[in-house]
Amino acid sequence: REGARMIDTWINNHRQMYDRATRHPFVLSVRDGTVDSSSFKRWLGQDYIFVRQFVPFLASVLLKACRESEDQSDVEVLLGGIASLHDELSWFKKEASKWDVMLNAITPQKANQDYCRFLESLMLPEVDYTVAITAFWAIESVYQKSFSSCLEASSNTPAELMETFQRWGNDGFGQYCCALCGIAERRLGTASEDVVTMAEGVFVRVLESEVRFWDMSYGE
Ligand code: HMH
């Protein structure tokens, strides 16, 4: 089977949801410079909670790669992800204090809780490595797609937010997402129909969760 084409096919099949996730009004408002600081701060606080939950999820994917992958370089790619997540957590704390966001006082909103619960379900040992790595790629690549658009020459992203969006929009992060995509496609290429169907379902669920996550920045 042509693994290399599978993810492109999914993106085309779910184009509407993909665009909603990667061109959300919140991201567009960052891009054109009209974002208000309360939306940004709400996003920052909720994303910190999400990223903390993302650590055990990534650890579970790494464990699956160690046990199940036929290619040792998967482990190196995921270790790189762990290193950048470490950096990301300190960045969140620094950024939060800059914007007077009290990270300890934030309670996760419903969409965030639901997304984190979904991550938990993907950490279970019975979830196939192929399905887990596909979810991981999709989660990272929605941010990469969204925020790289805020860095284009034609964008009008406020200078004080540039550092934020460079985190996920820079070329290095883009290459990391490509590496994850390559792993997912290689695995999908030899996976059973059942696993492929499950992975596509997880891909769509990630897109839906990301849309709901962005929606939170507008508040209740
Ligand atoms: C909600 N999705 C969300 N937060 C993130 N930080 C990423 C993806 C990328 O790591």
Side-chain angles (χ1 to χ4, degrees):
R1 193 141 19 76
E2 284 230 15
R5 296 263 85 104
M6 201 161 315
I7 283 174
D8 285 343
T9 308
W10 290 352
I11 290 173
N12 276 321
N13 288 351
H14 306 284
R15 175 59 66 181
Q16 220 180 356
M17 191 52 76
Y18 186 77
D19 287 349
R20 283 182 66 201
T22 57
R23 296 183 203 168
H24 190 274
F26 172 71
V27 174
L28 298 181
S29 76
V30 168
R31 193 183 193 286
D32 67 19
T34 60
V35 65
D36 64 84
S37 68
S38 65
S39 295
F40 176 75
K41 286 157 84 163
R42 246 190 314 262
W43 166 78
L44 187 74
Q46 292 297 318
D47 211 43
Y48 173 72
I49 294 175
F50 179 83
V51 168
R52 292 221 72 108
Q53 293 297 309
F54 204 48
V55 174
F57 172 60
L58 174 46
S60 78
V61 180
L62 177 67
L63 184 60
K64 283 173 179 146
C66 291
R67 288 177 173 166
E68 293 174 48
S69 180
E70 60 292 330
D71 187 337
Q72 289 195 335
S73 67
D74 293 10
V75 171
E76 270 96 321
V77 172
L78 292 167
L79 270 180
I82 290 200
S84 60
L85 216 47
H86 177 253
D87 187 56
E88 205 162 295
L89 286 173
S90 5
W91 175 83
F92 267 104
K93 288 177 197 167
K94 189 183 66 142
E95 193 70 8
S97 79
K98 193 166 105 190
W99 291 90
D100 289 321
V101 173
M102 303 294 156
L103 291 178
N104 295 330
I106 291 165
T107 50
Q109 291 185 26
K110 177 77 165 52
N112 203 353
Q113 284 172 8
D114 291 347
Y115 202 171
C116 291
R117 222 170 287 136
F118 173 49
L119 287 186
E120 265 167 40
S121 74
L122 293 171
M123 290 181 218
L124 298 173
E126 57 266 35
V127 173
D128 197 275
Y129 173 51
T130 307
V131 173
I133 193 82
T134 300
F136 187 65
W137 159 77
I139 295 167
E140 295 287 48
S141 84
V142 167
Y143 263 43
Q144 194 276 329
K145 267 266 168 222
S146 298
F147 288 134
S148 58
S149 78
C150 298
L151 299 173
E152 287 162 7
S154 58
S155 74
N156 197 21
T157 305
E160 67 274 22
L161 299 185
M162 275 312 248
E163 197 192 319
T164 305
F165 303 114
Q166 245 140 16
R167 286 209 76 78
W168 295 279
N170 74 72
D171 288 344
F173 195 74
Q175 281 154 21
Y176 168 63
C177 289
C178 274
L180 293 176
C181 188
I183 298 172
E185 284 179 335
R186 189 194 76 230
R187 294 286 306 192
L188 289 163
T190 58
S192 69
E193 288 296 336
D194 277 359
V195 167
V196 172
T197 303
M198 227 178 296
E200 184 172 3
V202 158
F203 166 69
V204 175
R205 180 90 184 267
V206 166
L207 297 179
E208 291 164 352
S209 304
E210 290 287 340
V211 171
R212 291 189 59 218
F213 199 93
W214 295 128
D215 286 343
M216 281 189 304
S217 63
Y218 295 118
E220 293 99 312

